Amino acid sequence: MITKPAQLLALVDQAKSADAIALDTEFFWEHTYYPRLGLIQLAISGDECHLIDPLALDDLRPVGELLAHPGLVKIFHDAGQDLAILQRATGATAQNVFDTRLAAGFASLPSTLSLAVLVRELLGTDLIKTETRSDWLHRPLSAEQLAYADNDVRYLHALRLSILRRITKPQVKAWLYEELALYNDPRSYISDGSSRYQRLRAALSLPPAGAAILKRLFIWREETARASDKPRGHIIPDAGLLAIAHRPPEGIAELYSLGLSNQAITRHGGAIIALCAETSGIPEETAAPVEKPWRLSASEKESYRRLRDMIRLKSEMLGIDPGLIGNSDELRAVARFLLADGAFPAASLRQLSGWRMTFLKDFHPGRA
């Protein structure tokens, strides 16, 4: 276990001379906004795995040097959460990331396989995953935890090579690296929970003024949770924010009838009342409503059906997981856009740029 700064610096110097390193994290996430980092695993090869103890080290910036090194491949499995945790711990943004889970989707495999399933499928080895729910903040770690942690990085080098060997078409390999390059931007894996209100079915019935209050409430809660390092629901749960937006209170006393806890009212009642008063002054015509789901017309449904069929057939031919092209909502939006003569706003559709646009050009060459 790496517990001293000198040990960490020596390991980082050694890792910098490698072509690729494998990384993983173990963490504990209860009652906080941010996960608590409990362990960093780093494998220089399948035979050389190191465990870094972030509880014993005050400065993890040397690990950040590895993450930010553009010439060093960093191999993860399902990289997003690990990258977000490591960025906060080290202050560095990772570059040149290889995600074996994502990459499998370009190698005639599903892009959603767990590490254990992928290792068994490609390497014929069974991983024991009994320590997934362990307390990684407890010291000393058990022998079982240490073995589990080692195995989470031990096979990543071999997985990367096996996956790349399976991708025989240069175009598909280029698409893979284009998709992996998105990890160079932390916006691809660090989400902002302030927009979660758009996914709440109960928000659809709000008038524009109520929707404006709900949006402000979610932004306020996100900022409050982040600043206090408390889970969003520990500030005020979604149901409480919805109740406030449906019946905006003018005074503290009204909050008690909306199902909020006494503690939440004591701590945040004043801020909520002020926010509601401020937002209620916005002209209704300028308040953005919650986006309501739309239904496809008969012609759009046919376009959607043909689009799905083309994606399925072309994906099978190229060895790509069709789920990588887009989810059902995205593909419905693409089908609608292709029949809308540009009238349908599509700026946010990732299918209309990059490798996905190239993939879809056979479906509608005049538009994609």
Side-chain angles (χ1 to χ4, degrees), residues 20 28 56 64 119 123 190 193 210 213 216 221 263 268 270 276 332 352:
F28 189 77
V119 168
L123 306 179
I190 297 179
I213 289 175
R216 289 288 305 278
R221 185 182 66 176
Q263 185 180 66
H268 308 299
C276 290
R332 286 188 178 93
L352 300 181

Coordinates of all heavy atoms in Angstrom, one line a residue, residues 20 28 56 64 119 123 190 193 210 213 216 221 263 268 270 276 332 352:
A20 N 0.9 2.8 -21.1 CA -0.4 2.9 -20.6 C -0.4 2.4 -19.1 O 0.4 1.6 -18.7 CB -1.4 2.0 -21.4
F28 N -16.7 5.5 -0.8 CA -17.8 5.3 0.1 C -18.7 6.5 -0.1 O -18.3 7.7 0.0 CB -17.4 5.2 1.6 CG -18.4 4.8 2.5 CD1 -18.8 3.5 2.6 CD2 -19.0 5.8 3.4 CE1 -19.8 3.1 3.5 CE2 -20.0 5.4 4.3 CZ -20.4 4.1 4.4
A56 N -4.1 8.4 3.8 CA -2.8 8.6 4.4 C -2.0 9.7 3.7 O -0.9 10.1 4.2 CB -2.0 7.3 4.4
G64 N -2.5 13.3 -10.3 CA -3.0 14.2 -11.3 C -2.1 14.4 -12.4 O -2.5 14.6 -13.6
V119 N -14.4 -9.5 -18.5 CA -13.2 -10.3 -18.3 C -13.5 -11.8 -18.6 O -12.7 -12.5 -19.2 CB -12.7 -10.1 -16.8 CG1 -11.7 -11.2 -16.5 CG2 -12.1 -8.7 -16.7
L123 N -11.3 -12.9 -21.6 CA -10.1 -13.5 -21.0 C -10.4 -14.8 -20.4 O -9.4 -15.5 -20.0 CB -9.5 -12.5 -20.0 CG -9.2 -11.1 -20.5 CD1 -8.6 -10.3 -19.4 CD2 -8.3 -11.1 -21.7
I190 N -19.2 15.0 -15.7 CA -19.6 15.6 -14.5 C -21.0 16.3 -14.8 O -21.1 17.2 -15.6 CB -18.6 16.7 -14.0 CG1 -17.3 16.0 -13.6 CG2 -19.2 17.5 -12.8 CD1 -16.2 17.0 -13.2
G193 N -26.9 18.5 -11.4 CA -28.3 18.0 -11.0 C -29.3 19.1 -11.0 O -30.5 18.8 -10.7
G210 N -44.9 28.6 -12.2 CA -44.5 27.5 -11.3 C -43.3 26.8 -11.8 O -42.4 26.4 -11.0
I213 N -40.3 28.8 -10.9 CA -39.9 28.6 -9.5 C -39.2 27.3 -9.3 O -38.2 27.2 -8.5 CB -41.2 28.7 -8.6 CG1 -41.7 30.2 -8.6 CG2 -40.9 28.2 -7.2 CD1 -43.0 30.4 -7.8
R216 N -35.6 27.4 -10.4 CA -34.8 28.2 -9.5 C -34.6 27.4 -8.2 O -33.5 27.4 -7.6 CB -35.4 29.5 -9.1 CG -35.4 30.5 -10.3 CD -34.0 31.1 -10.5 NE -33.5 31.7 -9.3 CZ -33.7 32.9 -8.8 NH1 -34.6 33.7 -9.5 NH2 -33.2 33.3 -7.7
R221 N -31.0 24.4 -4.6 CA -30.7 23.1 -3.9 C -29.4 22.6 -4.3 O -28.6 22.1 -3.4 CB -31.8 22.1 -4.1 CG -31.6 20.9 -3.2 CD -32.7 19.8 -3.4 NE -32.6 19.2 -4.7 CZ -33.4 18.2 -5.1 NH1 -34.3 17.7 -4.3 NH2 -33.3 17.7 -6.3
Q263 N -36.9 20.8 10.4 CA -35.5 21.1 10.2 C -35.2 21.8 8.9 O -34.5 22.8 8.9 CB -34.7 19.8 10.3 CG -33.2 20.0 10.3 CD -32.4 18.8 10.3 OE1 -32.4 17.9 9.4 NE2 -31.7 18.6 11.5
H268 N -33.8 26.5 5.9 CA -33.9 27.0 4.5 C -35.2 27.8 4.2 O -35.3 28.3 3.1 CB -33.8 25.8 3.5 CG -32.6 24.9 3.8 ND1 -31.3 25.4 3.7 CD2 -32.5 23.6 4.1 CE1 -30.5 24.4 3.9 NE2 -31.2 23.3 4.2
G270 N -36.3 30.8 5.0 CA -36.1 32.1 4.6 C -35.6 32.2 3.2 O -36.1 33.0 2.4
C276 N -39.0 32.4 -3.9 CA -40.3 32.4 -4.5 C -40.8 33.8 -4.8 O -41.3 34.1 -5.9 CB -41.3 31.7 -3.6 SG -41.1 29.9 -3.5
R332 N -36.0 9.4 -31.9 CA -37.3 10.0 -32.3 C -37.1 11.4 -32.7 O -37.7 11.9 -33.7 CB -38.3 9.9 -31.1 CG -38.8 8.5 -30.8 CD -39.9 8.6 -29.8 NE -40.5 7.3 -29.6 CZ -40.1 6.5 -28.6 NH1 -39.1 6.8 -27.8 NH2 -40.7 5.3 -28.5
L352 N -26.2 14.6 -35.1 CA -26.1 15.4 -36.2 C -24.7 16.1 -36.3 O -24.5 17.1 -36.9 CB -27.2 16.5 -36.2 CG -28.6 15.9 -36.2 CD1 -29.6 17.1 -36.2 CD2 -28.8 15.1 -37.4

